[in-house]
Amino acid sequence: MKKLFLLIICFLSFRLSAQELQARITVLSPKVNSTVDKKVFNTLQNQLINLINNRKWTKDGFNSNERIECQFLLNIEEIAGSDIYRASLTVQAARPVYNSDYNAATVNFRDADILFKYIEYQPVEFNENRVAGSDPLASNLTAVIAFYINIILGMDYDSFFPKSGDFYFQRAMNIVNNSPEAKDISGWRAFDGLRNRYWLAENFTNTKYNLFHDIIYAYYRQGLDQFYKDENLARKNILDAMVRLQAFNQANPNTMIVQFFMQSKAPELIGMFKKAAPADRKKFLDIVTSIDIANIDKYNQELK
């Protein structure tokens, strides 16, 4: 208990003053025809950089080397009206693995349908107390980005201390509950689909799924962060986390968070279990091919 207390104190003392995110934001518009002045998208990109990287998203302080590396790729798919755009957003985030130069992905997700209004040089702001704002279409993009920032923060915090991301997952759910409502805005409601912002926040805040947060912690802190010290023990802890994830998936089929967690994990897991003992490798294959169906061929090809 004393060691755990000291670890928590050390962790908090490192997060002192800097802003939390070190984000790269890119706005692309290859599908927009040449009659549109694409300078507007450069302006939007610069304003989003300012919003994400210069705003304090938590009450904690972070040293510059503690900032969370993340990327936002906003791809303008079409012009849906005057100053109205339809886009997809790819969000990626990672956290460093202790005592190594490897960054492990925590978020890798593509939100396929974002409708928003943007007039060049208009303020790009997010108000947590007034998520929808006076113009829902103008507020939708920043609401979506703030939502995923809280998911990134929740995943990062959960990966260091059990359930310490709860506050940020709840903030993401609050954004859902107060989200912009307008014709053709989607992704915020249960009936908009099975894999959207509503279900992601619902899964992360549903107390029925509390075990999932323990799995996140076990995978990163008790698994990946221990490889420098004892590779076999670290791999065992990862395998134990995967056993629990499989059991969670069987008890709660079709939850969005399992798919969300497994997104982009295949190369990382293959790299870890290539050196596993044959029995552990077989056990891992039995587990992972039941929860990461999209990558079954990769696992079988690399690990059989």
Side-chain angles (χ1 to χ4, degrees), residues 9 42 80 101 103 120 131 173 175 201-202 245 252 296 301:
I9 293 298
N42 292 331
D101 57 3
N103 287 339
E120 191 171 17
V131 174
M173 192 73 234
I175 293 172
E202 191 280 338
L245 185 61
N252 306 283
I296 285 177
Q301 198 171 46

Side-chain angles (χ1 to χ4, degrees), residues 18 59 164:
K59 292 181 180 179
S164 60

Side-chain angles (χ1 to χ4, degrees), residues 217-235:
Y217 173 75
Y219 181 89
Y220 290 99
R221 190 76 188 113
Q222 297 177 325
L224 288 174
D225 282 349
Q226 305 305 315
F227 261 86
Y228 81 100
K229 184 166 56 177
D230 188 333
E231 185 175 323
N232 290 328
L233 177 61
R235 192 180 292 109

